[in-house]
Amino acid sequence: KAGVTQTPRYLIKTRGQQVTLSCSPISGHRSVSWYQQTPGQGLQFLFEYFSETQRNKGNFPGRFSGRQFSNSRSEMNVSTLELGDSALYLCASTEQGTGTDTQYFGPGTRLTVL
Amino acid sequence: AQTVTQSQPEMSVQEAETVTLSCTYDTSENNYYLFWYKQPPSRQMILVIRQEAYKQQNATENRFSVNFQKAAKSFSLKISDSQLGDTAMYFCAGGGSYQLTFGKGTKLSVIP
């Protein structure tokens, strides 16, 4: 099976703009989670979607949002970008999204905010 | 809620030697799994090994094994016969309630 794919791989934006990142899970996986990775804060959970429903959300401002489509593909959106949003954004997929499932990660999208 | 702590920011090991990376965790979950992920310079997060908390037997995956001490809430990773390709960031993570909680990571360098 093909792995988790993320597009685009790299993005450069300026403050105040908005951005949309895309994640395609492994075929058959219904849960997609998003994480933000920065040198200072490490890996932080953003949110998780299962069957088009957000089941869990991390401690991030409302500027961060996401959605999932019927084919399990997911997008996350960041509005009114700030310099501190520069990070590697990772998505991961699992079959059911329970805590006992193994999460398989995509290669990430590197976002740079200038 | 879970917390995961990795107390070794950086480690190094000679090629072919053995190294152990430490991890402690705390959780209120009854059913949880623990994971070690590897992130090489390419930034792709790769699963190394996972441990079911209800199993007493330590997980093993080729050169990688864990020492899972449930009472002590300790979950260390042992890498045997270290190879240059093992050079990477290693993250300990706990799974529960639809999300993973990660430690800060240990940067492992394998020296030729």
Side-chain angles (χ1 to χ4, degrees):
Chain A
K1 288 184 180 178
V4 178
T5 58
Q6 291 186 246
T7 56
R9 294 293 310 278
Y10 302 92
L11 266 178
I12 299 175
K13 293 286 187 178
T14 57
R15 279 182 300 174
Q17 289 186 309
Q18 75 166 21
V19 67
T20 298
L21 313 182
S22 180
C23 173
S24 293
I26 292 171
S27 177
H29 285 192
R30 296 167 64 190
S31 168
V32 173
S33 298
W34 288 89
Y35 295 84
Q36 181 196 64
Q37 186 176 22
T38 59
Q41 298 299 317
L43 281 147
Q44 293 184 287
F45 172 75
L46 280 156
F47 29 64
E48 187 260 355
Y49 287 88
F50 179 81
S51 291
E52 303 178 65
T53 300
Q54 186 183 91
R55 293 195 298 189
N56 201 13
K57 189 178 193 303
N59 189 24
F60 278 83
R63 299 186 297 107
F64 292 82
S65 63
R67 59 178 175 169
Q68 187 180 35
F69 302 95
S70 59
N71 62 358
S72 295
R73 189 177 71 85
S74 177
E75 290 181 346
M76 67 163 282
N77 183 276
V78 188
S79 62
T80 319
L81 284 166
E82 300 177 0
L83 295 179
D85 298 333
S86 294
L88 180 69
Y89 290 89
L90 294 166
C91 84
S93 75
T94 74
E95 288 188 32
Q96 299 293 332
T98 66
T100 57
D101 278 354
T102 295
Q103 295 200 12
Y104 296 92
F105 284 82
T109 294
R110 169 73 66 185
L111 172 64
T112 302
V113 181
L114 303 175
Chain B
Q2 286 201 353
T3 59
V4 179
T5 303
Q6 292 178 252
S7 59
Q8 305 151 314
E10 290 193 45
M11 295 188 73
S12 61
V13 62
Q14 291 289 137
E15 194 175 5
E17 296 295 308
T18 297
V19 64
T20 298
L21 280 58
S22 301
C23 173
T24 58
Y25 67 94
D26 196 8
T27 181
S28 57
E29 307 276 349
N30 290 321
N31 183 24
Y32 59 93
Y33 279 33
L34 296 165
F35 305 85
W36 279 97
Y37 281 89
K38 164 185 175 181
Q39 189 178 41
S42 67
R43 310 302 284 175
Q44 176 83 48
M45 194 75 77
I46 301 165
L47 176 70
V48 175
I49 198 166
R50 77 173 200 170
Q51 172 77 42
E52 295 89 334
Y54 65 88
K55 286 188 176 180
Q56 292 187 342
Q57 185 174 7
N58 291 323
T60 299
E61 196 71 44
N62 299 317
R63 298 182 296 108
F64 300 89
S65 62
V66 298
N67 183 6
F68 175 47
Q69 302 289 330
K70 191 170 184 177
K73 297 183 178 178
S74 170
F75 182 60
S76 61
L77 174 70
K78 185 172 83 171
I79 306 174
S80 304
D81 186 26
S82 297
Q83 301 175 359
L84 296 178
D86 295 334
T87 292
M89 284 290 291
Y90 286 81
F91 293 95
C92 177
S97 301
Y98 315 128
Q99 70 182 77
L100 283 177
T101 301
F102 286 87
K104 293 293 189 184
T106 296
K107 183 178 181 181
L108 178 67
S109 298
V110 180
I111 302 166

